[in-house]
Amino acid sequence: MDIFSYQFFINALTGICIISVASAIIGTYIVTRRLVSISGGVTHACFGGLGLGYYLGVSPILMSAVFAVSSSLLVEAMSRRWRVREDSAIAVIWAIGMAIGVIFVFMTPGYVPELNSFLFGNILTIKSSDLVIFSIYTIVLIAFFAAFFKQIIAVAFDRDFATISKLPVTAISLTMTVLIALCIVLTIKLVGIMLLMSMLSLPQMIAETYCTRFKSMMTASVIISIFGSVTGLLLSVIVDVPCSALIVTVFAAMYVISKIASIWVKR
């Protein structure tokens, strides 16, 4: 219990709760629209921003945000306007982002000390300023969902119907694409590039086992995301292993248990 007396742990606990809410909301939209593969491509494209940021001596997080938003919009443009297959566009963006990152990390003089934290996450490095950014983003995200909830659901489930109904499909899609990219950048600090997709898909997969409606699935995802993330953080203190790996393990265990329970109930 002494760990709660340390400010860095309180920051980590607060940050993981805030981002768990944001990633659960965004993840519900991602899973519903089947954009998990796109999110994976954007996630790895962020590595290019990290490498360029280190090389130029500017904030790696800022450059990752630029790369994330640009790559996500580029995938959207390639698949919709240039008639490039979506999986092909994702593969191109994924490969180019990783290649740029490797080149600039190699060209950066000296050792890059924080690279591992971005690849595998280090939630204990969260600062008070990070909490402010997390909070602002989450508030904006919740406000956007509250204002355009019906339109978001229409775009998520049936884009053609939303277009025929003269809903602002393009505006909603582009805004959600930017919000997804920003969520990916912020969540990198928690579990890193390599394990990020678990935060955006596993809670929703667990919720999807029992929920059939978007709103109930999103609510359940928020609860599951907070519980799994906090459990992983607390277990990492006891077991003394990386927090990000334990969070993913907890989510995976919860998913297996939920599937077994659902099969048992149906019997």
Side-chain angles (χ1 to χ4, degrees):
M1 297 301 293
D2 292 341
I3 194 68
F4 289 98
S5 63
Y6 295 99
Q7 187 60 45
F8 73 88
F9 187 79
I10 298 299
N11 288 346
L13 187 61
T14 306
I16 205 169
C17 288
I18 296 173
I19 290 298
S20 291
V21 173
S23 62
I25 295 173
I26 284 291
T28 304
Y29 178 82
I30 289 174
V31 171
T32 303
R33 272 207 64 191
R34 299 178 181 178
L35 296 176
V36 176
S37 57
I38 293 180
S39 303
V42 174
T43 298
H44 288 79
C46 287
F47 188 69
L50 292 176
L52 184 59
Y54 283 124
Y55 179 75
L56 297 177
V58 299
S59 171
I61 291 293
L62 178 61
M63 292 305 299
S64 293
V66 173
F67 265 64
V69 173
S70 301
S71 59
S72 57
L73 294 177
L74 185 57
V75 168
E76 188 87 9
M78 291 175 68
S79 60
R80 303 250 175 231
R81 295 187 178 183
W82 303 342
R83 300 185 180 278
V84 178
R85 283 179 51 181
E86 198 169 74
D87 56 345
S88 300
I90 294 167
V92 170
I93 297 300
W94 184 317
I96 292 176
M98 291 296 290
I100 292 174
V102 171
I103 290 171
F104 281 108
V105 166
F106 181 79
M107 293 173 60
T108 301
Y111 173 68
V112 181
E114 297 182 359
L115 186 59
N116 282 338
S117 67
F118 287 109
L119 289 176
F120 304 105
N122 189 356
I123 191 174
L124 298 180
T125 61
I126 289 179
K127 303 175 184 177
S128 299
S129 57
D130 295 325
L131 296 180
V132 175
I133 297 173
F134 293 167
S135 300
I136 293 174
Y137 170 80
T138 305
I139 291 171
V140 170
L141 177 66
I142 293 174
F144 181 75
F145 264 76
F148 301 99
F149 189 72
K150 292 183 179 179
Q151 292 90 332
I152 292 172
I153 291 179
V155 173
F157 282 97
D158 196 336
R159 188 185 181 96
D160 294 332
F161 172 77
T163 303
I164 296 173
S165 302
K166 296 183 179 180
L167 295 177
V169 176
T170 302
I172 293 292
S173 295
L174 290 178
T175 304
M176 288 303 302
T177 298
V178 172
L179 289 173
I180 290 171
L182 293 177
C183 183
I184 287 172
V185 173
L186 295 178
T187 314
I188 284 176
K189 196 96 174 185
L190 292 179
V191 295
I193 290 175
M194 298 302 180
L195 303 174
L196 175 60
M197 294 312 301
S198 65
M199 294 284 292
L200 299 175
S201 58
L202 277 175
Q204 291 72 27
M205 291 170 63
I206 298 169
E208 201 174 21
T209 306
Y210 304 100
C211 303
T212 56
R213 300 179 65 86
F214 187 93
K215 190 173 183 179
S216 59
M217 180 179 171
M218 185 172 65
T219 304
S221 297
V222 170
I223 297 172
I224 293 168
S225 183
I226 293 175
F227 175 79
S229 298
V230 172
T231 301
L233 177 61
L234 296 178
L235 285 176
S236 68
V237 176
I238 300 172
V239 185
D240 193 23
V241 296
C243 172
S244 57
L246 269 179
I247 290 175
V248 175
T249 303
V250 170
F251 281 146
M254 291 173 65
Y255 177 71
V256 171
I257 293 172
S258 67
K259 293 299 289 186
I260 293 174
S262 66
I263 295 172
W264 181 265
V265 169
K266 289 178 181 178
R267 292 176 61 185

